[in-house]
Structure formats: structure tokens, C-alpha cells
Amino acid sequence: MLFLTAAGLRQSMDASELRRAYSGPVSGWPRAEVDAGVDFVEFGPLPALLPPDTIEAQRIALGARLFDERRLSATGQFACASCHSPELGFGDGLRTSFGHDRRRGQRNAPGLYTVGFQNTLFWDGRSPTLEHQALQPIANPIEMAGHPRQIEGWINRDESYRRGFGAAFGVPRIGMAEVARALASFERSLRPPQTPWDRVFTRGTEVLTDQQLQGLHLFRTKARCANCHNGPLLTDQKFHNLGISFYGRRREDIGRYGITHDPADVGRFRTPSLRAVRRTGPYMHNGLFPSLAGVVNLYVAGGGVDRAAQSATTSAPPPRHDPQLQKLALTPDERAALVAFLEIL
């Protein structure tokens, strides 16, 4: 008899039983184990990228050009691609990024593969749209430190940009709003490279090794990952406190509280998508972990430990421990299997 429930499979990790249970379409897989109240969305492929019409294709091309445009920065040395390199998973491979005057930012540059699907942007969710988000790093004094009037000046003197924006947006003069719209069009066109995880939805779990399949099962069950990482994007698009805000310490970052001023949001950060996660390290809002093994170990420990005393450096109250963080009883082999699964997403 097949073990068709996650609870049954948890007691028997025989590879052949896992193969049978996870054969066929996702709808027939063992049910994911999540906490009460979690709005779980079943795993699935990303929505297909439809071919753009002529106007949108022109906007995407303009956005791609602007993404590499160093003149958007005050010094002419930084472009969007400086911190979001296609060769580095649209991140920069650094713990936290360097910007204007070689100043180091507080947060890790997130990958951009799935930004077109996200309902908020930045680690703290401060931007509701890509158009809003696109202009924030340009004007940020410790990122690109660009000046809108100067940018509008040189871009309107550039004949090729004038022609391109005229055709794509029908405007006689280019403003920062059009710059943002072009960049947003380009970012919406991004998709992660094809991985074994994509092939699971067309060919089944036969494309996974036994170790990767065990990792998938652990992800959905005793490792508790599916509580926050579910759906086609493998994110709930919500905000959680993992106990690594360094509240009251040198690296203190109060997270979403800085936007909402809701005491519940102290130390909370947006759940990132795990699509192509192997390419987007280091990990977490502060780039604390250089490897996925380190991330897994954080969750095994039940997250970090926040200080309970009021910090003297902020009016934000001490963070509240996220109830979905619990210590996990994962063996070294199970941790390795979980990493093996994450690496094929």
C-alpha cells in the first residue's frame, strides 16, 4: 500500500516509497504539512512569459539599455547592473552592496528573477510597484546618488534615447516617470534560467536524484519550509522575523517597522522567492550566510535570538519571535538533502 500522506512518509524515507508517492502530477503528491492558519498555495511552474507586442518590446529594450546606463548615477560609475548583475543571479555576490563614494549599504542586493510577480519590493516592502522601486536606488545617496534634473538633461540631449522614448512612449520630452516605466518593463521580462525544478512540472520527479527528492519531501514536511515558501514563486510574499535583525547591536536593522511603525513588524523582512536561489547568494537581508547550508542551519536552530531589552538606538520595541520558527530535528543527511533540493530550484 502506498504512503499517500506526509505523516506516513515521515516515518519511512525509503527512496522507492518516495518515488511512488511523488510520482504523477503535483495534485497527487502528499499534502504539505503547514501550520494552522497558513494560506498554503501548491507548488507549480511560473506563468508563461507571453511574447511582448511591438510597443512593449521597445520599452523592454529601452529598459535593458537603461539597466546598464552608468549616467544614471552621480559619478557615472554605477548602473543598476552594478548591484544586479545577470552573471550573479541579478545580485552582486556581496554581503551588502557598495555604492556612491564607496559607501557600503546595510542590506543585501536581492536577485530580480521574479520581481515581475512580487506585490511589494525591497526587503522591507517599501515599494508597491516596479515603477516606484526603479527610481529609489537612482536617487539614494548611498547607492547611485543620481539627480533627476541632471538625468533628464543628458537623456533629452541624447538623440538615440529621444528616438527610442518617442517611439515607445510617445512623449516629446523624457521624464523620470518614463525612465521608471522602461526599467519596470525590462524587469518584468526577467525569468530565472531553466532548472530541474522546472522540468519536474513537465517530466515529473524522475528528473530528481534520490537525495533531491528526499529534500523536496523534507521541504514540505518536517523542515517546515512550505509554511512560508510555497506557490509557483516559493514565497508567501509576507514578512517574517527570523531573529537576525541584530536588534540592539552593531548591525541593527528594524526591518519593516521602519515603513509601517507597527510593533509587530520590528525585525520582519520580506520572504524572498527561492527560484534560482543557488545563484543568488549570499543570503538573508544582511547577506549573513554565504551558503545554503548556513541558511538551513539557521532554521534547524529555530532562527536567531533577538535581545529582549529596549535598544537605545531606536524607538522600535524589541522584536517578537515568529511563531513559525521552531527548532528542527534534522540529521546531517537530511540537512544535506534539503540543500540538494534548494540547489535545483
Side-chain angles (χ1 to χ4, degrees):
M1 180 177 179
L2 297 183
F3 291 89
L4 295 180
T5 67
L9 277 170
R10 177 181 289 182
Q11 303 304 317
S12 176
M13 299 301 291
D14 178 79
S16 61
E17 291 174 334
L18 282 176
R19 289 279 171 203
R20 289 195 295 270
Y22 283 90
S23 64
V26 178
S27 59
W29 289 0
R31 181 181 301 174
E33 294 181 1
V34 297
D35 294 345
V38 169
D39 187 17
F40 176 80
V41 178
E42 187 54 88
F43 298 169
L46 290 176
L49 183 62
L50 300 177
D53 59 27
T54 300
I55 293 296
E56 185 60 19
Q58 292 173 335
R59 293 176 177 179
I60 291 171
L62 275 173
R65 182 180 173 188
L66 286 168
F67 199 78
D68 281 320
E69 179 58 78
R70 293 177 298 172
R71 288 180 291 176
L72 292 177
S73 67
T75 62
Q77 297 177 343
F78 292 97
C80 302
S82 298
C83 295
H84 299 284
S85 170
E87 297 177 356
L88 296 170
F90 281 94
D92 60 10
L94 299 175
R95 179 176 59 80
T96 59
S97 300
F98 290 97
H100 183 69
D101 282 342
R102 196 61 181 168
R103 296 172 69 184
R104 186 159 206 162
Q106 188 178 22
R107 294 178 181 169
N108 175 261
L112 304 181
Y113 283 129
T114 61
V115 290
F117 300 109
Q118 293 174 10
N119 52 33
T120 59
L121 289 306
F122 291 105
W123 284 104
D124 54 18
R126 78 186 76 158
S127 284
T129 67
L130 279 171
E131 287 79 4
H132 182 274
Q133 176 276 329
L135 298 182
Q136 307 309 303
I138 295 173
N140 191 307
I142 64 171
E143 294 188 48
M144 297 171 72
H147 301 285
R149 289 185 180 179
Q150 292 179 4
I151 293 170
E152 291 178 354
W154 67 253
I155 201 169
N156 281 284
R157 292 192 297 270
D158 187 305
E159 183 180 351
S160 62
Y161 272 124
R162 286 202 311 273
R163 287 198 307 267
F165 275 90
F169 293 98
V171 292
R173 179 172 175 79
I174 307 163
M176 295 304 294
E178 287 72 43
V179 169
R181 291 172 66 189
L183 285 167
S185 287
F186 169 66
E187 292 177 355
R188 287 194 182 94
S189 74
L190 300 177
R191 291 293 185 278
Q194 288 287 304
T195 67
W197 184 239
D198 295 292
R199 293 191 285 277
V200 163
F201 302 108
T202 56
R203 294 172 49 190
T205 55
E206 66 183 38
V207 304
L208 303 182
T209 67
D210 287 349
Q211 185 186 43
Q212 291 163 352
L213 182 58
Q214 182 190 19
L216 165 62
H217 177 63
L218 290 166
F219 191 97
R220 292 172 64 89
T221 57
K222 65 185 292 187
R224 299 178 54 81
C225 310
N227 275 299
C228 301
H229 295 284
N230 54 60
L233 297 183
L234 295 173
T235 171
D236 60 4
Q237 301 212 46
K238 296 180 181 179
F239 299 84
H240 298 275
N241 169 34
L242 305 184
I244 55 172
S245 69
F246 288 87
Y247 181 81
R249 288 171 282 178
R250 181 174 61 84
R251 293 184 183 178
E252 181 180 81
D253 189 337
I254 57 176
R256 186 155 173 77
Y257 177 86
I259 306 302
T260 67
H261 303 291
D262 182 343
D265 282 335
V266 180
R268 284 185 175 178
F269 296 89
R270 181 175 53 81
T271 305
S273 169
L274 296 184
R275 297 305 303 259
V277 67
R278 180 180 65 84
R279 298 170 177 260
T280 59
Y283 304 101
M284 303 301 177
H285 72 276
N286 50 13
L288 187 61
F289 299 105
S291 70
L292 288 169
V295 175
V296 169
N297 288 336
L298 172 72
Y299 285 104
V300 169
V305 179
D306 289 313
R307 290 187 175 182
Q310 175 67 47
S311 170
T313 59
T314 177
S315 61
R320 302 176 186 176
H321 186 78
D322 195 304
Q324 289 173 350
L325 286 175
Q326 300 178 15
K327 290 187 177 181
L328 306 175
L330 295 183
T331 68
D333 285 346
E334 288 174 329
R335 299 185 197 193
L338 197 55
V339 170
F341 172 65
L342 292 171
E343 288 178 340
I344 58 93
L345 292 176

